[in-house]
Amino acid sequence: MKANLLNWKVCMLCLMAVFGVSVAQAQVIVKGNVQDVTGEPLTGVTVQEMGATGGTITDIDGNYSLQVKNPQATLVFRYTGMATQEIKLAGRKTLDVTLKEDLANLEEVVVVGYGTMKKSDLAGASVSMDESKMKQSIISSLDQSLQGRAAGVQAMQTSGAPGSSSSIRVRGQATINSNAEPLYVIDGVIVQTHGTSGADYGLGDKLGNGAASTISPLSTINPADIVSMEILKDASATAIYGAQGANGVVLITTKRGKAGEAKFTYDGMLAWNRQTKRLDMMNLREFANFYNTFVEQGEVSDPSSYYNDPSLLGVGTNWQDEVFQTAFQQQHQFSAQGGNDKVKYYVSGGMMDQDGTLIGSDFKRFSLRANLDAELKSWLKMGLNVSYNNTKENLLKADQDEGIITYALTSSPAIPVYNVDGSYSSVSQEGYTNPNPIALALEDDISLKRQEMTGNIFFDVTPYKKVTWHAEYDWSVGSSRGDVFSPMLKLGTWSRTTNENRIQKNSSTYWAVKNYVTYADSYGKHSYTVMGGQEAWESVWDYSAIYNTALPSNEVQNPTLGDGTPSIGYGQGSSSMASFYARATYNYDNRYLGTYTWRYDGSSNFGPKNRWAAFNSFALAWRFSQESFLKDVDWLSNGKLRFGWGQTGNANIGGYLWGSPLSIMESDLGKSYRPKQIANTGIKWETQEQFNIGLDLSFLNDRINLVVEWYNKESKDMLMQLQLPSYMGTSGNGSSALSAPYGNYGSIRNRGWEFTLNARPVETKNFDWSTEATLSINRNKLVSLNDGTGNVSLIGYGMWTDVVTLSEVGESLYNFYGYQVEGVYQDFDDILNSPKAEKYPANGVFDKATTVWPGDLKFKDVNNDGVINEKDRTNIGSPLPKFTFGWNNTFHYKNWDASIFINGSYGGKVFNYLKMKLTHMNSTWTNQLVDVADRAVLAPIDAIKDYSAGVDRGDGNLVYNWYNDVTNVRVSNPNTKTPRASIQDPNDNDRISDRYIEDGSYIRLKNISIGYTFDKKLVRKLHIDNLRVYANIQNLLTITSYDGYDPEVGVSTASPNVYGLDNGRYPSPTTYSVGLSVSF
Amino acid sequence: MKRNIFKYFALGALVAVSFASCDDFLDRPSEDNYNQDNYYQTDDQCISGVNYLYNSPWYDFQRGFLKVAEEMAGNYMFGTTSPYHTFTINGSDQDLVNMSYSLWAEIGHCNAVYDNIKASSGNLTPSVRNQCLGECLAWKAMAYFFLVRTFGEVPILHNNTASLNAGDYNTYPKNYKSDIYEYIIYTLETAMDLLPAKGSKGRLDYYCAEGLLAKVYLAKAGVTGTLNADDLKKAADYAKDVIDNSGRKLEDNYEDIFLLKNRYTEEGLFVWRWTADGANWTRQNSYQSDLGMGGIDDWAATWGDWGGLTVDMQEAFGIKLLEQQPDAWLSNVDSRLHATMMLPGFKYSQFWQDKGGFDYLEFLYEYATNSGLNSPTGANTVKHLYGDTYDHIQGAGCSDARMASSVPTFLLRLADVYLIYAEASLGASRSASSNADVIDAFMAVRNRAIPGANRPASVTWEDIWKERRLELCMEGDRWYDFVRVSYYDPDFCVKELTAQKRNEFWGLADVYETYYKSGTWDASAASYNDGTTAPNVASLMKGDNETPNYFFLPFPTEDVTFNPLLGSDVNAEGDHVDVRTVYAY
C-alpha cells in the first residue's frame, strides 16, 4: 500500500505543477482522523472532495490529509461495509469522522448461488453462519462447526479422530443413498469429495467396509479462511443447484481483501485433547473371580492355578489407559490483506497438527490461499481465487469388531502390554487370538496423504448498468496417496513373518465453465431481476495401485522391493453434467416478493433415455411489517411470511450404473470376466419436492428475532441399490456375488419444524449479552419402497451379517430390529410354562450346553404363537432424535468476551453394540464389563440332593452335579436382567435385543470460552492493531444416561442403513485450548 | 456498444455449442472395463466368461462346506464350542449365512452368464456355445443340490433378471424338496445335451454331469420317506455309464489325487478350480488358513491348530490313540489314513520339500507358532493343505499368497460314482449284493486304498456306508449322506450320530511330547472326555409328527426378514411346482 500512497503523492505533485502557484494558493489542506463506532481507527477510507477528481485514503492510524479547492466543499468518506458520509467543511481545516456500519448493505446481502440477494428480499429458507460462530468451536474440519448452530441442520461427528468427518443432514435423511451429505460450494466452486470410504482412497477395508468412513473430504479445507456459510435448506433456495441440491447446499465464502494498508493477522492456538470417560471393565482380580465361577459350574474344565487366589493378584493391565492418550494439537495461521479501491487481495497460509486421543492416529494440514479482486475497467471486474491444501493423516480402525477400541476393551487384564524383553505381548489361546491393540495401533500403518489445488477465475462484465455478465472458469486438481503397510511383527506367540505393502495413488481433475447474465431494473414500486445461464462440468479420475508382500525389512516401504507376486491395479472414469438455468425475482414496494427458479440438467450417470431432467421452484413472501397498518408499529421492526415450493434432484450414484460392466476374476482355467452387477437401464433421477412456510419476526428494533419454519419434503424415485434376499445372488463378498441393481425404488418424507430465536437481552456501554437458541424437530417416514411388491424393507447390518436395523414402509428409517427381553428364566418350571424357546429340545432332554436353561434370557413372544423364533423380532427403538437443539450465549464486558454453547439431542436411541461383546460372557479369554457381576447366578434348589450315583437326565445319560440337572437349578438373584454365563450360549442370549438399546439423549456443554482483547491504545505502541487472547474448552460436560463412551453416534462406518450403532466409535475428546490472535 | 454485440454473439455461440455437444459430452459408459454388451463376442470370450463359475462365487462356501459336511457329521472338529460340533446353529450363524450367499451367488452368476451367451450376437462356434451353456447349467444344478440337501425346502429361482423385473422376489414360497430335485435333474439333463463327451483339461463334460445326475437320483430316491426303486435304478444306470464309457480312470495311488501338481486328475468330475495367481479376492483357496497349523506357511496366516479329525473318525480307521502303540497307525494298511490325518510319526514328502519333507511331530515341537500339540484330538488334517511357498511353486507354478492357494477342491470324484453305483444297485431293500459288478465297483475303490484287500462274497449297505466315510473324509460329503438317509431312515442317523465319540482327549499333549523326545508312547495318563454328553442331534430335524423327519439347517434369518414365507415354522413342506411346465431352458 505504501506504493499506492507514493503514487498518489506523485500525482498530486504533478497536479500542483500543472495548475501552478495561483491555483495552489486557492487550496486548503484539511486534516483529520476517521474511526469506527468503537473508536478503532479505520485504514484505507477513501476521502474525496465532492465534485473534484482524485482524493486520498486514510493511513494506518486513520489519519488523512487532503487538499481541497473549495473550503466550503463537501467531503465524502467511503469505506466498504460502512455507510458513506458526506460532510460540509464549512471552512473547517480539521474534520474527524466516525463511520457507522452500513447495515442495509453489509448485513443483508447474502449469497444465494449464482448471485447475491438482499436478505430482506429472500423468500426461501436459508440460514447464515458467520465467522464468529465458527471461531467459538475448536474444529479441524469445517463440517464440524455446523453442529447445533443452525436450525434444521443435524451434524453428527462420525468419529472423534482428528480431522474426521461429520455426517450432516439438512432437514433429515431424505435418501437411502449413502451420499446424503449436502453439496458444498466454496466461492462458487463445487467441492470435490473424491469418495468417502477408505476403499476409495486405496485403504481397502482397513477402515471398515462402509460407504462412509472417518475420512472427511472437507478436512482439506482450512476453516480459518472462511468468513461465512449459508446453508440453503428449502427447495426454493436449493433449486438453482437443480440435480445436485436435494440434500441441501452449503455455500461457503472465504475472506477477501479490503482496501487499505496491508493488514497482517496471526492466529495461533494450542490445545490438549483428552478422553475423559472410561468404561468400567473388570480388573485382574475381578477377572480371576469371573473365571473361577466358570470352573465352579462346569463351564470350563480346567481350573487355572494362576487364578487360584484372586486376592494375591494385582489389578492387571488397564488397556483403556494404554490406548488413550492426552493428545496435543496446534494450529497457526498467517494472513495479509489490503489493496486499494481497484485491486484488493487476501493471502493466507495455515498449518494444523493434531494428535489423536487414540495412540497412533494424527492429522496434519498445510494450506495456502490467495483471493484477488481487480477492477480492470469501469465495466470489467475480475476475481481470482486459488487455494492449495495438503493433508497427511494416520488412521485407525476403530468402530469395528476388529477395531482398536474393541480389542483394547476385550483384551484380558492378565496380559501385559509388553513382555519383559520389551517386545509386544499377545494372547493366543485355543484358537482365540486377540492381537495386542497397542501393537496394531502403533505398528500397522494406515496413512493417507492428500493434495488439492482449487480455484476459479471470473469476470463480471457490465456493458451497461443494468446488465452483468458473469463468466467463470473453475478447476480443482487433486491427488491422494493411500498407504497400507503391515510390518513383520512378533507378538508373543503370534507372529507375522511376511510383511505387506499396498500403495494407491488417485488423481482427479475437475473443471467447470459457467456463464450467466443478470439483468436488474426497477420502475416505480416494482423492481425485478432476471438471471439466465449455463454451466458444464467434467470430472475425470484415475488410480493406480501396487501391492506386494515379503519386503526385505520393515524400514523401507516400497512394494516393488517385495519378493511376493506383485499385483497392480488401475482404473479410470469420468462424469459430466451440463445445465441451463434461470431465475427471476420480483419485488413490489418491499412488501410482496416473488422468486421463480428453473434448472435443466443432463448427467452422464444415466442412460440415453433418462439423461435430462428439469427442476422448478417458486417462492413468495409478504413483508407485512411494511404494510401501512403496521409501518408505524414500533415494537415490530420486521415481519415476513414466506412460502415456497420446489423440486431438486439427486444423481449422486456414480457412473455407468445403467449398464453392466465386467470385472476380471482369475481362475485355474484361465482369466475370466464376470458381470459385476445386474443392470437397470431404466435408472433415472431421484427427485425431491419440498414445501416450506416460514415466518420471520423482529421486535424492538431487531433486538429480538424469531424465525419459524415448517417444511414437508418428499423424495421420490429414490436412487438406491435394491436390497434383495440372498437367493437373488446379490449377497456376500463383493467380488463373488452379483451387485444388486441400482434403481429408483421408493420415497421418503421428512416433515418438521425449526425455530431460531436470537436476542440481545442486555446492551449497555460496558456489558452486552446476546443469545441464540435453535430447535429442530424432524419426523422421517419411509413412504414406499418399490411399489407393489409387498414385503419390502431395508436391512442394516451390524458387523458381518447381523441384522440390526429394519426400515419398513410406513415407519421412520433405520429402526433397530430385534427381540424384546422379558427377563430370565427362573427355573425349569419357568421354561416349561413360557412360550417355547428356540432351543427347547424336541426330545425333552435338557442340557446346559445345548438347550435353553434356567438363567437364559426369556424373549417376548411378540406374535403370540407360543414359540420364540425369528418372527418375534420387532422394532426396538429409533436412532433418530425427536428434536435437537443448540443454545449459544456471548457476553462482552469491557475488554472481556465469553461464550457458552450448549447443544443436545433428545429421544434418539443408541445401539450399544460394543456392550454386546462386553457382556456376552461366553469366553474366558475376553474381558467384560464389571456389570456382568449382576448376571443370573445359578444355585441348586435342593442343595443336598445326592448325585454320587448319577441321576438320569431323561435319555439314559447320567448327570453328577446339580448344575447339570435342569430340575434342580434356579436363579438365586431373580430380579437380574443379565443372563447366566455360558460358554456355549445355546439360547443365543447375546442375540440382537433391546438389552443393548439405550437412550442416546444428551445435553452437552459443547463450548465454553473466554477472551480478552487488549486496549487498542496500549497495544498500538507495539505497532499492534489488535490483540486478543482466549481460552476454550470443548465437550467439557455431557449429561446422558448412555453407558458407552459418547452418545453422539452418527452414521455407521461399517455398513449402510445403520445409524446410531456404537461399535467402539472413536469417542469425541474433551479439548482444552489457549489461543492468540494478533493483527498489525 | 460494439463490444456488447460481440459479447452477446459469443454468449449465444457458447450456448448453441454446448447444446449441440451435450449428448457426446454426457455419454460415458464404463471406460476401464468391458461390459455385458461388448463382451461374449468370440469363442474365447465365452469360455473365459464361464471360467469363474468354477471358483469365485463359491468362495464364501468354503467354511460352511467343511463345517456342515464334516464337522456336523462327526468327522472333524473346529473346536469344542463350534455350533456345528454341538448342533447349536442358528439362522444368523456367519458360516451358514455365507454358505447360503455363496450358493445363491453361483446360481445368479450361472443364470447371468447363460443369458449373456444366449443373447450374444457374436459369430460363435455352436459346439463352444453349447459347451459354455452346458457348464452354466451343470454348475447351477450343483448349487441347488447343495441347497436342497442343506436347507431342505428352498425357493426355485429360475431367472434372476426376470424375477427382478417382475418384482415378486420377496413373495417366493419354499418349494417341495422333490420339486427341487426334479429341477436339478431337468437342469442336468439339459446340460448333458449341451456338453461335449470329452471336455478340455479341468472342465466339465457330459460324463461329469451324468455322474452328478447319478448322485442326485441316489439322494432323491428317499425324499418321499421311502426308498424309490426307480430312482435307485436310474442312479445305478447313470453311474455305470460313467464308469464304463467316460474313459476316465481312478488314480492308481490314493494320495496322488490330492497332490497340487496333479490337480487336473481325471478322477475329478466336479472341481473348484482355485488359483493363487492373481489379485482378486475369491479367486483362491483359503483352506490351509483354516485347517493348517500356525507356522506351516510363510504368511503367518494359518490358524487350524485347534481343530482335528475326531476320535470317532480315528476309530473308523481302526486307530485308538490311548490303547494302541504307534505301530498301529505307522503300519496301517489303509493308505487313506496317512492321506487324511496327521498322527505322531507321520511324514509328508509333498510338504516342505525345500526343507526335506514335513514331519508332524518335529513340526509341532520345532517349528509350530504355537509350539506343541494343540489339536483336541491329536490328529490334524492333511487334505486341502499344500505346505509352504516352495511347495506351491513346485506344484502350481506360482507363489501362494496370504490365505491363497491353487489347491483344487473336489466336489465329485470318480470314486464316489463307483460307490454310488454299488449302493444304488442294492435297491430299495438295501440288502446285501453278491453281484460281481457291484463287488467290482466297491473293490475298485477299496483295493486302491488297501492293496490286496480281501474280495468279499457280498457287499452290504453298511460296508458301502462305511467305505464312503473313509474314502471321502474331509471332502464335504458326509453330512449329506446322513441327510439323504434321514429322508427314509431318520432313526438310523440319530442313533449313529449320538453314538459318535465327538469329544476331546485330555492329557494327550504330554504323550506326544514324551514320544517326540524319547520315542516312548505312554498314554496311560491321558483320557477321553466322556463327561460332555452327546449333542442333541434330533434338534436339527424337522420336529413334529405331521411332517417327515429329516435333517435341515435354518434358513438365514436375514432372508426371513425379507421374506417371511421362508420362516422355519411356515409352510414346512413347501409349495408344489410343476417344474417341467413352468420353467424352460
Side-chain angles (χ1 to χ4, degrees), chain A residues 991-1011:
Chain A
R991 69 178 79 182
I992 306 300
S993 70
D994 58 4
R995 186 181 164 195
Y996 311 110
I997 306 293
E998 297 185 28
D999 187 355
S1001 302
Y1002 66 89
I1003 177 163
R1004 173 171 282 177
L1005 185 49
K1006 184 78 185 166
N1007 269 294
I1008 174 162
S1009 73
I1010 184 160

Side-chain angles (χ1 to χ4, degrees), chain B residues 150-341:
Chain B
T150 307
F151 299 104
E153 296 79 7
V154 294
I156 292 179
L157 197 86
H158 185 65
N159 183 318
N160 301 55
T161 316
S163 311
L164 197 65
N165 293 338
D168 57 357
Y169 41 81
N170 276 336
T171 58
Y172 276 30
K174 294 185 270 193
N175 290 117
Y176 281 180
K177 291 194 297 297
S178 54
D179 290 342
I180 298 160
Y181 277 113
E182 187 59 29
Y183 185 72
I184 295 167
I185 290 164
Y186 172 43
T187 304
L188 275 175
E189 284 172 357
T190 315
M192 284 157 68
D193 289 343
L194 296 163
L195 286 167
K198 181 87 189 137
S200 52
K201 191 176 76 169
R203 304 191 83 93
L204 293 177
D205 61 24
Y206 174 88
Y207 292 104
C208 298
E210 190 178 31
L212 179 60
L213 187 58
K215 187 160 181 157
V216 170
Y217 268 112
L218 179 67
K220 182 200 173 221
V223 77
T224 54
T226 47
L227 274 173
N228 178 311
D230 290 343
D231 287 341
L232 291 173
K233 172 138 195 337
K234 281 187 176 142
D237 289 349
Y238 286 125
K240 185 74 175 147
D241 188 46
V242 176
I243 294 167
D244 292 346
N245 302 319
S246 68
R248 290 171 183 259
K249 293 202 304 286
L250 296 177
E251 281 288 337
D252 292 337
N253 184 359
Y254 184 79
E255 292 208 61
D256 290 352
I257 303 166
F258 308 102
L259 296 181
L260 188 49
K261 67 173 183 209
N262 208 7
R263 62 193 186 283
Y264 298 111
T265 171
E266 279 183 3
E267 189 165 340
L269 300 182
F270 275 77
V271 185
W272 287 337
R273 298 284 176 200
W274 312 110
T275 183
D277 201 4
N280 290 293
W281 194 254
T282 70
R283 77 194 182 283
Q284 82 279 22
N285 183 333
S286 298
Y287 272 132
Q288 182 161 293
S289 288
D290 278 354
L291 302 172
M293 294 158 288
I296 192 168
D297 72 346
D298 293 304
W299 305 92
T302 53
W303 39 80
D305 310 46
W306 292 271
L309 279 302
T310 58
V311 178
D312 202 66
M313 191 67 223
Q314 295 167 20
E315 294 193 353
F317 273 111
I319 302 305
K320 297 189 169 186
L321 289 176
L322 303 191
E323 295 163 30
Q324 296 166 333
Q325 283 296 308
D327 203 42
W329 51 90
L330 292 173
S331 56
N332 192 286
V333 289
D334 194 333
S335 63
R336 292 175 296 203
L337 175 67
H338 181 265
T340 302
M341 61 182 84

Side-chain angles (χ1 to χ4, degrees), chain B residues 490-538:
Chain B
D491 296 342
F492 167 85
C493 299
V494 171
K495 197 174 153 207
E496 175 154 331
L497 287 165
T498 311
Q500 281 181 343
K501 283 197 167 175
R502 292 171 77 100
N503 300 335
E504 69 274 28
F505 285 127
W506 286 336
L508 198 62
D510 295 338
V511 180
Y512 276 40
E513 190 163 5
T514 312
Y515 179 59
Y516 175 65
K517 289 184 174 149
S518 67
T520 311
W521 183 265
D522 176 9
S524 56
S527 61
Y528 171 74
N529 167 20
D530 48 13
T532 304
T533 44
N536 194 351
V537 177

Side-chain angles (χ1 to χ4, degrees), chain A residues 701-879:
Chain A
N701 206 12
D702 293 356
R703 264 182 85 169
I704 301 173
N705 302 288
L706 176 69
V707 180
V708 181
E709 310 256 5
W710 180 86
Y711 61 88
N712 183 62
K713 72 171 179 177
E714 194 152 338
S715 306
K716 290 180 178 143
D717 299 328
M718 229 162 24
L719 274 176
M720 55 177 272
Q721 194 170 21
L722 197 54
Q723 271 201 337
L724 299 171
S726 64
Y727 52 80
M728 293 298 282
T730 50
S731 304
N733 223 311
S735 55
S736 63
L738 284 162
S739 296
Y742 275 82
N744 304 87
Y745 294 118
S747 62
I748 292 179
R749 188 179 70 203
N750 281 282
R751 205 177 255 181
W753 290 90
E754 294 160 6
F755 302 90
T756 306
L757 175 71
N758 65 57
R760 298 192 300 276
V762 183
E763 253 182 336
T764 63
K765 185 162 180 280
N766 282 333
F767 180 71
D768 63 71
W769 167 33
S770 62
T771 183
E772 178 170 88
T774 62
L775 176 69
S776 315
I777 303 170
N778 184 65
R779 292 291 176 270
N780 172 282
K781 183 174 173 183
L782 182 61
V783 176
S784 69
L785 267 179
N786 201 24
D787 306 46
T789 58
N791 291 295
V792 197
S793 45
L794 296 169
I795 281 182
Y797 299 94
M799 200 67 197
W800 316 123
T801 57
D802 257 359
V803 175
V804 292
T805 70
L806 183 70
S807 309
E808 285 181 293
V809 172
E811 307 270 325
S812 64
L813 288 171
Y814 310 149
N815 284 331
F816 294 121
Y817 184 66
Y819 294 86
Q820 290 176 328
V821 177
E822 288 198 312
V824 299
Y825 292 109
Q826 300 296 320
D827 50 28
F828 189 40
D829 283 346
D830 196 6
I831 294 175
L832 294 176
N833 297 327
S834 303
K836 246 183 186 178
E838 240 163 348
K839 287 294 172 209
Y840 190 98
N843 60 355
V845 180
F846 286 81
D847 181 303
K848 77 173 171 29
T850 61
T851 71
V852 62
W853 200 254
D856 279 336
L857 288 182
K858 189 200 283 188
F859 297 103
K860 188 170 177 191
D861 182 19
V862 173
N863 62 355
N864 284 317
D865 62 353
V867 183
I868 308 293
N869 61 14
E870 321 91 339
K871 293 192 163 167
D872 293 309
R873 291 179 299 167
T874 183
N875 175 2
I876 49 176
S878 167

Side-chain angles (χ1 to χ4, degrees), chain A residues 146-166:
Chain A
L146 292 168
Q147 193 168 45
R149 302 283 186 182
V153 180
Q154 198 195 348
M156 290 280 241
Q157 252 187 281
T158 310
S159 158
S164 66
S165 59
S166 299

Side-chain angles (χ1 to χ4, degrees), chain B residues 29-69:
Chain B
S30 182
E31 291 166 25
D32 53 0
N33 262 317
Y34 292 103
N35 62 52
Q36 186 170 284
D37 301 321
N38 62 16
Y39 203 69
Y40 308 106
Q41 298 301 307
T42 67
D43 289 350
D44 284 348
Q45 287 179 352
C46 288
I47 291 169
S48 79
V50 167
N51 285 344
Y52 80 102
L53 297 177
Y54 285 77
N55 60 334
S56 162
W58 295 100
Y59 183 82
D60 284 342
F61 184 25
Q62 284 188 32
R63 282 189 178 148
F65 181 69
L66 290 187
K67 289 195 171 181
V68 171

